[in-house]
Each structure stands twice: as C-alpha cells, then as structure tokens.
C-alpha cells in the first residue's frame, strides 16, 4: 500500500479486515476492524484474546499452548496499543520482516 | 522488528490463530508455524500515520456498523470492563494451588464449594461462584471427556506421595466431591434450560463454553463417590471418627443430591425420589460444620480471565455457609413437596397448590419452580401420566358442571358430520385445544417470579378475554345441539353458558391477582391504596354475581329432554356426588370471594378516611396527574370487554364518597371488617377437602391466618382512628403502613399517637 494515498482511503482499506492488535500488557486481540479514529482507537468485532504462556518459548521448542478466549465486540484505545498487524490471506508465510 | 520485545512477537508472528468461536473448553491449543497459517503484516507505523491525517472526531468505519452497537463493546484495559487485565505486579496465572494436607481443610473446601454452588442457585453466575474454585478450574481446564481424565493436574508434592492419606484426600475424596458437584450443576442447568425462566433475572445458565462433564454419566460419578466413601470409612484413613463422619456425610449427600437431580418424571411418578435422605444427610453436615477449616486461597477471581465471556468481570459471590445451608435445605424440602402434585386430586386442588406454593416468601428457588413446570406438563403429558384435557375438563366440571351430553364418550365415535354427537365432539375438541393452551400457560406463568407473574398476567387476560368471547359462541351452538332448556334467572330467561362462564371466572380471578400483586410487589403508593382496593372490590363483586349465576345453573336435571337422552352412555351422567361437589365448589368460592370483598371494602373506607384526615398524603407529582396515573394503572384492563374500566370522574367520586361523613365511613369500614372476619372464620373451619387445599393444607391455612390478621389489624386501625376523631387528637396521630407483618395483599396502617410509644404489631405468624 502506498503511504501517499489519502489517509481515510488507506484506513478504509483496513475496515472489515482481520487485525491482530498487541496491547502494552503483551496480550493480543484478533478481530475484525469495524471502526477507527484519529487516536487509532479501534473497535474490533468477533475478537479473541490471546495471552502469553508463562514459560519461556525457547525452552519448549516450537510447540506452544496459547490460551485464547472469545470476547466478541471490543474497543481498544490507541494509547494502549503497541502493535497493529493486518492478516494477509492467500500469501503463505509472506509477512515481510516476520521471519527475522 | 521481530526482536523489539524479545521472543514474544516473533513467536506470535508465526502462530496460527483461528477466528472461529471456540467450542468446548475455553482454551484452544495453537501451534506455531503451521504451513497453512495466515500471515500478518505489521502496519503499526502506517496505520498510526494514516490516523493522524484524520480530523478530530472523524470516524472511519464499516458502513454496516453503527455506533449504537459499539455501546455493547468491552473496553480493553479498563479495569471495570476487561476481565483479562492484570493489575501492575500481578501474576498472569494464579500461583501454584495450595495443596491441603489436613482432612479439616478438605471439609472446609467442601463447605465453601457448597456456598458457591448455592450462590449460583440464588442467581449469581458460575464465573462468580463455582468456577472461581481453583480445584474446579484445574479439573475442568483439560476438558475431560471421561472420568479418568477428570482429575487434578497438580505438580508432585512431598507431602502428597501417591497412596498416602494426604494424597487420597486430595485425589480421591476432594476429586470425587468436585466431580459430583460439577455434574450437579450440569443437571440443574439442563432442568432450568428446559423450562421457561428469566435468564440473568432468575438464574444465570451461562457456562462460558465450559463443558460440565456432559459426557460422564451419573452412574460413573456415583461409583467414584462410593469409592471415596469406602476409603474414608476404611482402616487406611487415619482420622478420628467425627472427621470421618463429616467427610462421609458430605460425599454421601453429594451422591444422593446428584441422584435426585438426575431423576426423570417417570421415576418421580413411581415414587423413587428420596429427598428425605438428602435432608437427613444435610443435618449431619450442619452438625459437623465446625470441624472444617476454611481455605480461602483456593478461590480466585483470576479464573474469570480464562472464561469466554462477552460481559465485564463480576465479583466473587460466596454467601455465608449458614445461608447456603438454608438454601439447600429449602431446595430439598421444596423439591420433595412439589412431588405432591403427582398424586392428582382434582383440578381445583392443583390450582390451589400452584398458587400457594409459588406465593411463599421467600419464593421457591428457580430450580424448583422449573421442575414444577416439568412435572405439570412435559412431553405432552401432564403430571407424568395424564392428558391435559382431562385436567382441563375436570376444572370446568368442578365449577360449572356443564350438561352431561358434552362429555359423552360416544360423541367421539360418531363419524357422520350431520350427526349431533359428531358436532358436539367437534366443538368440545376445539375447546380442549384452544382453552388447553391458555390453561397450560396459566400454570406455567404462576411458576414465574412474582414481578413477571404480574406482568405476564396483564397479557394473559387479553387472551382469556378473547377465549371467553369465542366460548360464548360455542356455548350458543352447543345449547342448540343439546336442546338445552332455558332457566329463569334474575327475571330473565337464560342458558348455562358453561364453558364461557368458566373462562370468565378465571379471567376475573387473574384480573384480581394483577392488582393484588401490585400490593404485594409494592407497586402502589399509599395514596392510591383506596382506589386500587375499590377496583378489587369491583372485580370481586362482579365475580360474586357471576358465581351466583353459575350456582343457579349447577343443579340436577340439566338437559333431561335432550335428543341424545335415549342413547346417552351411563358413564357421562353426572352423579349426585358430582352435583354436590360442584355446588360445594361454587359455595366455597363464593364465600372466599365474599370474604375478600368485605376486606377490600373496609380498606377503601379506611384509606379514604386517612386521606381526608391528611394522614396519607399525595406526594408532589411534578410530571404526573391523578388522571395519568389512573390511566397507567388501568392500562392492562382497557382492552377487556367485561367488566369495563370506569371513567376517572366516576371512579374518583366512587372512591372518595364525598357525601359520607368520615365517622360514618369508619363505622362502615368496621362493619366490613367484622363481616370479613366472620367469613374468614368460616373458611378456616372448613376441611381441607372442601377448601380444595388437599395438596397444601398448611400453606393454605397460613394464608387464611394472614388474611385474618389483616382483618384484625384493619379493625384496630379503625378503632384508633375513630377514637382520635372523637377526642379531637387527629393532629397527634402518626400513621405507618405495615407491609411486612400482615398479608402481603393487605398492608395495614399502624396508627399511633406521637405522644405515646406505638403499639406493637400483632406478632408475626412465622411466614
């Protein structure tokens, strides 16, 4: 996506997409973007919460149990967000910078 | 980018996350780096920059999404809304569960669990009660699908070597108790979901997608409980006898309670219930209560973080043990008592039982009220073995005794549409179906909580009003078919109109209940009391006239000259006993209505007098008027054909009675209380059979005593008031309306002098 497009057009392209939002307390919320504003406050529908396991990932190898639960419609304030990611369907394993 | 916060984000980036709603247990297992996984692209910078380009207040949103919906959203990171939020310094999951060593601690945990369970029965959510126990959470967190899997997953501990008493205590005794308790919750939830109750209002059935051991049978769990009891009983358990007794009673109660909660209607009909056993075991639990040591650390609100919940976090609710003990004891007693309906002894008796049982204070629990609905009618069977049409027609016969020909079984055999019998049968079939539905709904409605009962009655009377009109038409057709002979009644030639008479009587009763419940639920303000009692008195008087009419038509020899007389089957002919019964029912109902009417009349005069003397004041009504309030109160009755709602002006004149002197009014009120008392005395002398109170004699008599108390209380108030007027000391009089110590339908003003200490109330009857 070209950053030079009008801001609302760019944001509109995210609407109804599945976002993965990480909050400052390291939880993640995966849900469908319904609404956003100037402060990057997000309203996500059909949201699941994911919580980090307590143990160290390196020690247990590549299999991890991640506790998740369904929350439904949530509001996440922009100030609480540390990271926003968008799901890309159809491009197997393709996120740039993710494999680093 | 990936190394900005250690390994977390890296790991997360490769997680496969599913967007499907979770089924089964609240945790799902997610595997890293599944090849088919969706990938995520970090757009944090891009997104934030784009947002900053928006104007203040500008929203970018899905056109199908309204902000109204957003009102229901949970706000993440808000401590009041976000059950997953960790307080600063708080650990993610509760630290290791404390593993008790002493049997006293196990007893304590069992009793705490009972408190949690009963808090749930009392209306709190599972997430606030049973699920907050870390042992329950531990047991359910692996979503066990078999009994073997339903066990605690605890780290090894030195004090709990396998086979040691401490180990057995935890992994056999407490485990068996927890498994039994979870299954009890499952049975209760199933029962409540099967019938009509109000979610969140009466009970919370939400399980947050946690399966309550659905796949494990009651028999298996009972076996586990038995092996736990055997262990406690055996020589390997090195505890004193009183400890053993306490543990055994708790395990045995759990087993029996689970068995009772799992019974189907057929077993109950076969008299296999054993609630008495539960009550006996409960008394042992009560006696050994002090042996337990509470272990508060095994309950934690943190469990809510894991539950799939679209509602904000709620605090833990754990009522004190004594209260929980009262609730569970009452539940067992009530569950036993409702089995009485299975010994059917006539429709009127059944109705009396429903009315008296559900009017109890405090009201029977949601579980029991739900079970009562199931007992009454489930799988198209009433009371476990009868047809609803049988009960319905008996109800009609007990009051109105319609012509014999309507009930002739030969009617059903006729297949010729021109045949009179065929035509009668068609109409009776219609009645059974149409009225049967309304009749079942009425019973079910009576099982609802009191506020809902009142509200739902307002809808029901509209249905019964329509039913009455439809039945009048059918009655008209039937009277021609059987060539009913008219009877002279009140100088008019008239017909019985049995079916619609019966419907009208029930409709009037329901209209009375709506207003009576208004008093019970404290809907009315004191200055409205006189007016509302006037309406009651008006409905009751209408019902009395109607009953007189019914009585006139319940007599031997109806339809002797019917064209069907020759071919009538013997079994349908009303016996002398049937006729006597119907007459007795009408007479009893007349007496009861007359008693209530006298008491209502006394209340009208008494409260009107109080208003005149300025002792009951109309509060300021800045946004309302008397007319508006009257319209509001009459709203349920406006669409009812008969009796009519009285225009406000007439109503006001009738209630205020400006032509009658206050003293005279009090004298009339005093007469009414005396008459009412006489009637209630007569009623109390009648046997349970003639009062149709065979199934609930105790509750029925208690209710009568409360009416009598209100009667006496009103009498005292009248005397006090008259004395104050005569001695010209009205200015010194204080009035307090007592809703508690009298019949809930007849609150009584307590009148005292400001100068003297108030008179004590009549001692309570222990309701």
């Amino acid at each position: 996506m070209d950053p030079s497009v009008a801001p609302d057009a760019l944001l509109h392209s995210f609407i109804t997409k599945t976002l993965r939002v990480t909050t400052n307390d390291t939880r993640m919320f995966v849900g469908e973007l319904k609404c956003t504003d100037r402060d990057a406050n997000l309203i996500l529908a059909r949201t699941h919460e994911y919580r980090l396991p307590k143990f160290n990932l390196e020690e247990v190898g590549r299999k991890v149990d991640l506790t998740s639960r369904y929350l439904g419609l949530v509001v996440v304030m922009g100030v609480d967000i540390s990271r926003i990611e968008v799901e890309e369907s159809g491009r197997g394993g393709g996120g740039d910078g993710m494999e680093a | 980018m990936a190394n900005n916060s250690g390994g977390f984000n890296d790991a997360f980036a490769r997680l496969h996350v599913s967007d499907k709603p979770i089924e089964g247990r609240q945790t799902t297992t997610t595997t890293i780096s599944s090849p088919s996984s969706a990938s995520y692209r970090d757009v944090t910078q891009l997104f934030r920059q784009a947002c900053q380009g928006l104007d203040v207040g500008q929203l970018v949103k899905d056109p199908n999404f309204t902000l109204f919906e957003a009102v229901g959203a949970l706000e993440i990171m808000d401590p009041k809304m976000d059950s997953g939020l960790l307080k600063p310094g708080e650990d993610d999951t509760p630290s290791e569960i404390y593993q008790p060593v002493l049997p006293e601690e196990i007893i304590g945990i069992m009793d705490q669990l009972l408190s949690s369970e009963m808090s749930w029965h009392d209306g709190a959510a599972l997430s606030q009660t049973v699920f907050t126990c870390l042992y329950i959470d531990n047991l359910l967190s692996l979503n066990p699908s078999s009994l073997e899997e339903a066990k605690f997953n605890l780290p090894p501990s030195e004090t709990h070597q396998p086979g040691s008493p401490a180990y057995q205590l935890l992994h056999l005794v407490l485990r068996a108790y927890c498994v039994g308790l979870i299954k009890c919750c499952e049975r209760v939830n199933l029962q409540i979901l099967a019938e009509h109750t109000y979610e969140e209002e009466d009970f919370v059935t939400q399980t947050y997608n946690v399966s309550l051991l659905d796949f494990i049978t009651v028999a298996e769990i009972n076996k586990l409980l038995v092996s736990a009891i055997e262990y406690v009983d055996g020589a390997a358990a090195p505890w004193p006898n009183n400890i053993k007794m306490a543990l055994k009673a708790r395990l045995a109660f759990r087993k029996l309670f689970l068995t009772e909660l799992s019974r189907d209607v057929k077993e109950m009909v076969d008299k296999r219930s054993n609630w008495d056993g539960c009550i006996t075991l409960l008394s042992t639990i009560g006696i050994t209560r002090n042996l337990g040591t509470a272990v508060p650390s095994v309950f934690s609100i943190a469990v809510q973080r894991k539950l799939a919940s679209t509602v904000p976090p709620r605090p833990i609710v754990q009522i004190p043990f004594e209260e929980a003990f009262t609730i569970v004891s009452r539940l067992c007693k009530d569950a036993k008592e409702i089995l009485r309906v299975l010994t059917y002894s006539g429709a009127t008796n059944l109705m009396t039982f429903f009315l008296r049982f559900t009017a109890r204070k405090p009201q029977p629990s949601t579980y029991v009220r739900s079970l009562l609905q199931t007992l009454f009618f489930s799988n198209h069977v009433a009371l476990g073995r009868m047809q609803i049409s049988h009960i319905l027609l008996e109800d009609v016969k007990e009051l109105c005794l319609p012509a014999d020909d309507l009930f002739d079984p030969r009617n059903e055999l006729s297949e010729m549409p021109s045949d009179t019998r065929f035509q009668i049968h068609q109409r009776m079939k219609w009645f059974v179906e149409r009225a049967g539905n309304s009749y079942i709904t009425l019973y079910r409605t009576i099982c609802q909580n009191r506020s809902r009962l009142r509200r739902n009655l307002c809808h029901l009377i509209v249905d019964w009003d329509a039913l009455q009109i439809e039945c009048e038409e059918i009655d008209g057709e039937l009277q021609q078919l059987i060539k009913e002979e008219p009877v002279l009644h009140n100088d008019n030639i008239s017909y019985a109109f049995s079916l619609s008479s019966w419907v009208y009587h029930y409709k009037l009763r329901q209209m009375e209940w709506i207003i009576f419940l208004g008093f019970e639920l404290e809907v009315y303000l004191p200055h409205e009391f006189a007016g509302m009692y006037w309406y009651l008195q008006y409905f009751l008087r209408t019902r009395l006239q109607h009953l007189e009419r019914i009585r006139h038509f319940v007599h031997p020899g109806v339809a002797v000259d019917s064209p069907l007389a020759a071919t009538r089957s013997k079994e349908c002919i009303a016996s002398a006993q049937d006729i006597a019964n119907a007459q007795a029912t009408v007479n009893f109902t007349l007496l009861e209505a007359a008693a209530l009417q006298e008491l209502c009349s006394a209340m009208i005069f008494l409260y009107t007098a109080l208003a005149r003397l300025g002792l009951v004041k109309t509060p300021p009504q800045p946004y309302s008027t008397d007319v508006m309030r009257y319209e509001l109160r009459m709203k349920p009755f406006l669409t009812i054909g008969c009796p009519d709602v009285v225009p406000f002006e007439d109503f006001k004149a009738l209630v205020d009675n400006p032509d009658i002197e206050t003293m005279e009014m009090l004298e009339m009120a005093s007469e009414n209380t005396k008459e009412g008392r006489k009637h209630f005395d007569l009623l109390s002398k009648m046997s349970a059979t003639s009062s149709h109170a065979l199934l609930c004699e105790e509750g029925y008599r208690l209710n009568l005593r409360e009416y009598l108390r209100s009667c006496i209380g009103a009498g005292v108030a009248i005397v006090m008031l008259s004395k104050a007027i005569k001695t010209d000391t009205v200015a010194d009089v204080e009035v307090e309306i007592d809703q508690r110590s009298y019949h809930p339908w007849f609150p009584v003003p307590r009148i005292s002098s400001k100068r003297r200490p108030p008179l004590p109330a009549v001692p309570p009857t222990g309701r």
Side-chain angles (χ1 to χ4, degrees):
Chain A
M1 250 169 269
D2 182 359
S4 64
V5 245
D8 53 337
L10 175 69
L11 289 171
H12 267 296
S13 73
F14 287 122
I15 294 289
T16 72
K17 291 267 166 33
T18 301
L19 294 194
R20 183 161 75 184
V21 177
T22 310
T23 49
N24 292 333
D25 64 349
T26 74
R27 278 183 293 165
M28 295 196 323
F29 297 89
V30 177
E32 200 179 287
L33 183 66
K34 286 292 179 189
C35 184
T36 185
D37 65 0
R38 191 184 149 89
D39 298 323
N41 299 321
L42 308 179
I43 299 181
L44 301 176
R46 292 199 282 279
T47 309
H48 286 253
E49 175 199 69
Y50 293 82
R51 182 181 291 280
L52 270 178
K54 256 171 92 181
F55 42 82
N56 191 330
L57 287 179
E58 303 307 317
E59 282 173 24
V60 288
R62 298 183 70 77
K63 276 238 171 187
V64 157
D65 283 350
L66 203 62
T67 40
S68 86
R69 58 173 189 153
Y70 182 69
L71 291 178
L73 192 67
V74 303
V75 178
V76 192
M77 292 295 174
V79 291
D80 296 324
I81 297 173
S82 63
R83 180 160 162 157
I84 303 170
E85 292 157 291
V86 64
E87 186 188 63
E88 296 196 321
S89 47
R91 287 175 53 195
D96 35 67
M98 289 285 159
E99 306 291 322
Chain B
M1 175 119 0
N3 53 12
N4 61 349
S5 48
F8 298 158
N9 290 342
D10 191 20
F12 275 137
R14 282 172 280 137
L15 289 174
H16 165 71
V17 284
S18 146
D19 201 25
K20 281 185 299 188
I22 300 160
E23 283 156 25
R25 178 59 181 166
Q26 72 269 31
T27 54
T28 45
T29 304
T30 323
T31 316
I32 297 180
S33 286
S34 153
S36 63
S37 69
S39 64
Y40 285 87
R41 185 162 59 93
D42 191 326
V43 291
T44 318
Q45 290 303 321
L46 197 66
F47 200 99
R48 284 201 183 273
Q49 270 165 18
C51 285
Q52 270 155 26
L54 296 175
D55 295 331
V56 175
Q58 187 186 352
L59 293 178
V60 176
K61 68 178 192 70
D62 179 353
N64 298 322
F65 180 78
T66 61
L67 283 183
F68 182 70
E69 290 172 61
V71 173
L74 290 174
E75 199 175 315
I76 300 305
M77 305 296 280
D78 175 346
K80 281 191 181 144
M81 299 273 263
D82 182 2
S83 54
L85 179 66
L86 297 176
K87 289 192 192 101
E90 198 180 358
D91 203 350
D92 181 9
T93 44
S95 47
E96 270 175 26
I97 310 178
Y98 170 71
Q99 297 190 25
V101 186
L102 299 170
E104 287 86 349
E105 291 172 309
I106 297 292
I107 297 171
I109 294 174
M110 287 175 171
D111 287 352
Q112 281 168 284
L113 272 167
L114 183 72
S115 291
S116 287
E117 186 189 16
M118 289 306 132
S119 311
W120 178 58
H121 275 261
D122 205 32
L126 279 174
S127 65
Q128 301 173 278
T129 56
V130 176
F131 283 176
T132 60
C133 174
L134 298 179
Y135 279 100
I136 300 279
D137 174 60
N138 187 288
L139 207 141
L140 288 174
S141 59
L142 290 174
N143 196 14
S145 55
S146 68
L147 191 61
E148 292 70 50
E149 284 172 32
K151 58 181 186 196
F152 298 136
N153 178 21
L154 298 169
S157 135
E158 270 182 37
T159 48
H160 291 76
Q161 298 298 333
S164 66
Y167 182 90
Q168 294 289 47
L169 205 49
L170 202 58
H171 293 275
L172 178 61
V173 175
L174 186 62
R175 171 184 165 226
Y177 189 84
C178 288
V179 168
L181 185 133
I182 296 165
K183 194 69 183 172
C184 284
C185 293
E186 190 230 358
R187 304 312 306 183
V188 167
N189 226 26
L190 280 179
Q191 170 60 51
I192 288 176
L193 285 168
E195 296 295 344
H196 192 237
T197 54
Y198 290 88
E199 179 73 21
E200 294 267 335
E201 190 174 305
D202 288 319
F203 196 84
V204 185
T205 55
Q206 166 76 279
T207 61
Y208 314 93
N209 281 330
V210 179
S211 152
L212 299 173
L213 306 179
D214 308 4
F215 301 111
I216 304 175
T217 64
V218 172
E220 281 177 276
I221 294 173
N222 275 345
K223 238 160 112 185
L224 177 68
L225 282 159
V226 169
S227 57
I229 295 170
E230 281 168 357
Y231 174 77
V232 172
D233 227 2
W239 309 304
N241 275 337
N242 57 350
I243 294 285
K244 286 187 171 201
M245 181 174 81
L247 286 169
K248 260 165 38 192
R250 280 157 181 77
L251 291 164
F253 169 75
R254 194 43 70 181
K255 175 172 172 286
L256 194 55
F257 192 50
L258 176 59
T259 310
E260 291 309 315
L261 294 175
S262 311
R263 289 210 190 283
D264 57 24
V265 176
K266 198 184 165 300
E267 289 177 309
M268 295 186 216
V269 171
D270 295 344
K271 298 198 162 71
R272 306 224 338 242
S273 295
N274 183 13
W275 288 103
D276 279 335
C278 289
I279 296 167
T280 314
L281 287 167
L282 271 175
S283 68
T284 315
I285 294 177
I287 297 165
T288 52
R289 147 94 184 118
N290 293 328
L291 295 175
T293 314
V295 189
S297 68
V298 299
F299 287 83
S300 165
I301 191 89
V303 177
Q304 282 191 12
R305 243 171 247 156
K306 299 200 293 183
L307 300 173
S309 167
T310 53
V311 294
R314 292 176 176 181
I316 288 190
V317 176
Q318 199 182 68
I319 51 177
F321 178 81
E322 285 68 26
E323 220 173 292
F325 190 77
T326 313
I327 293 178
V328 67
S329 308
R330 205 168 52 218
L331 190 150
C332 294
K333 264 174 68 190
D334 287 351
K336 180 191 164 199
E337 195 171 328
I338 57 172
L339 296 175
R340 289 187 198 168
V341 299
L342 297 175
T343 43
Y344 177 72
S345 42
T348 316
N349 269 307
L350 192 63
M351 181 49 88
T352 315
F353 178 85
F354 269 69
L355 289 174
R356 292 280 51 87
F357 182 76
T358 55
R360 265 194 207 163
K361 303 267 176 268
Q363 200 176 26
S365 73
T366 311
Y367 174 78
V368 173
R369 286 186 285 120
S370 167
L371 187 61
L372 183 56
Q373 292 179 54
T374 304
L375 288 184
F376 175 67
F377 193 69
S378 57
N379 297 325
H380 308 286
V381 179
L383 309 178
R385 65 199 157 90
M386 290 167 70
Q387 295 211 315
I388 192 72
S389 58
H390 180 81
I391 303 174
L392 168 74
L393 293 177
E394 256 202 308
D395 201 325
V396 179
K397 281 192 213 168
E398 279 174 20
L399 186 74
C400 298
L401 200 72
D404 304 337
D405 289 334
L406 306 185
F407 303 104
D408 196 328
R410 286 188 193 168
N411 295 349
E412 200 181 336
L413 303 175
S414 171
E415 285 173 357
M416 217 174 8
S418 60
D419 186 13
T420 309
R421 289 201 181 279
F422 178 86
Q423 293 179 14
I424 293 174
H425 179 63
Q426 288 302 98
R427 281 159 184 80
M428 289 309 282
K429 210 170 99 189
W430 172 86
F431 176 75
V432 164
E433 269 168 30
R434 172 70 177 85
N437 269 329
S438 306
Y439 193 60
I440 294 172
T441 312
L442 179 59
Y443 276 95
R444 285 184 181 282
T445 305
I446 293 172
C447 295
Q448 302 308 319
N449 69 54
R450 302 300 272 174
S451 311
R452 288 289 177 178
L453 169 58
R454 178 163 190 272
R455 199 182 145 90
N456 289 336
L457 282 172
C458 294
H459 303 298
L460 286 197
I461 54 170
V462 179
D463 174 49
W464 284 76
D465 191 48
L467 179 64
Q468 186 190 344
I469 294 163
E470 291 160 38
C471 284
E472 274 165 21
E473 203 174 305
I474 294 295
D475 274 328
E477 291 168 12
L478 286 169
Q479 87 204 4
Q480 285 178 4
L481 287 167
I482 59 169
K483 301 263 184 310
E484 181 182 336
E485 274 178 43
V487 175
L488 198 66
H489 174 66
N490 284 352
D491 300 331
N492 283 318
I493 292 208
S494 184
Y495 295 91
F497 283 99
S498 311
L499 302 182
S500 49
S501 280
W502 176 82
V503 173
Y504 186 32
H505 186 255
Y506 257 114
K507 183 183 85 177
L508 285 169
R509 285 183 82 186
Q510 292 172 57
M511 291 169 79
E512 289 160 23
W513 295 337
I514 291 172
I515 301 187
F516 275 134
L517 283 165
F519 283 101
E520 178 179 327
L521 296 165
E522 299 176 30
V523 172
Y524 309 132
L525 290 170
H527 76 276
E528 298 176 84
F529 280 12
M532 296 326 290
Y533 279 120
W534 185 86
Y535 251 95
L536 276 169
Q537 167 281 146
Y538 171 59
F539 291 158
L540 281 159
R541 212 176 31 180
T542 312
R543 186 151 72 95
L544 282 167
Q545 284 164 2
H546 181 57
L547 281 163
E548 290 286 357
R549 187 184 186 283
I550 291 176
R551 179 158 71 173
H552 198 74
F553 286 92
V554 177
H555 57 77
V558 164
V560 172
D561 302 324
S562 157
L564 304 170
T567 56
R568 192 178 287 150
S569 55
K570 268 189 193 137
E571 57 201 283
C572 78
I573 299 173
S575 64
Q577 185 63 44
D578 289 339
I579 296 163
N581 282 350
Q583 280 169 340
T585 307
V586 176
N587 285 336
F588 164 77
T589 316
L590 266 169
L591 182 60
E592 195 183 42
L596 289 173
Q597 197 225 356
E598 293 291 349
L599 188 47
C600 287
S601 303
M603 290 295 186
I604 305 169
F605 293 132
L606 177 56
Y607 281 104
T608 303
L610 285 171
R612 279 192 192 178
L613 298 170
L615 294 169
V616 165
K617 288 194 182 69
T618 309
Q621 311 184 85
Y623 304 108
S624 170
T625 59
D626 287 346
V627 182
M628 284 162 78
R629 191 174 283 272
Y630 179 71
E631 272 173 22
L632 175 74
R633 298 296 182 225
M634 289 305 118
K635 218 172 146 199
F637 310 119
L638 283 175
T639 55
I640 302 301
C642 179
D644 275 337
V645 168
V646 179
F648 179 72
E649 297 308 319
D650 301 354
F651 164 78
K652 200 167 163 42
L654 286 162
V655 177
D656 291 351
N657 271 317
D659 304 336
I660 306 175
E661 289 282 318
T662 308
M663 268 318 279
E664 197 184 331
M665 204 173 245
L666 287 173
E667 273 160 35
M668 283 156 69
S670 169
E671 280 306 306
N672 287 132
T673 53
K674 276 177 201 147
E675 278 300 304
R677 211 175 149 172
K678 235 189 271 171
H679 293 332
F680 284 123
D681 277 335
L682 272 177
L683 284 169
S684 9
K685 283 185 190 119
M686 288 170 81
S687 69
T689 317
S690 23
S691 319
H692 300 282
L694 285 173
L695 301 176
C696 55
E697 189 171 351
E698 201 185 320
Y700 171 79
R701 300 229 177 267
L702 184 69
N703 191 49
L704 270 186
R705 279 203 297 279
E706 287 194 334
Y707 281 137
L708 213 51
R709 280 164 53 75
S710 284
C711 235
I712 297 167
V716 171
I718 293 162
V719 171
M720 299 285 287
L721 207 56
S722 312
K723 212 165 102 190
I725 295 175
K726 277 181 202 147
T727 54
D728 208 15
T729 52
V730 176
D732 296 331
V733 161
E734 264 182 335
V735 173
E736 189 198 336
I737 290 169
D738 193 340
Q739 299 263 21
R740 303 265 167 262
S741 1
Y742 297 95
H743 194 287
W745 291 355
F746 291 99
V748 169
R750 209 189 300 170
I751 293 175
S752 53
S753 168
K754 282 178 202 164
R755 292 183 190 163
R756 267 178 303 165
L759 281 177
V762 187
T765 43
R767 178 158 176 156

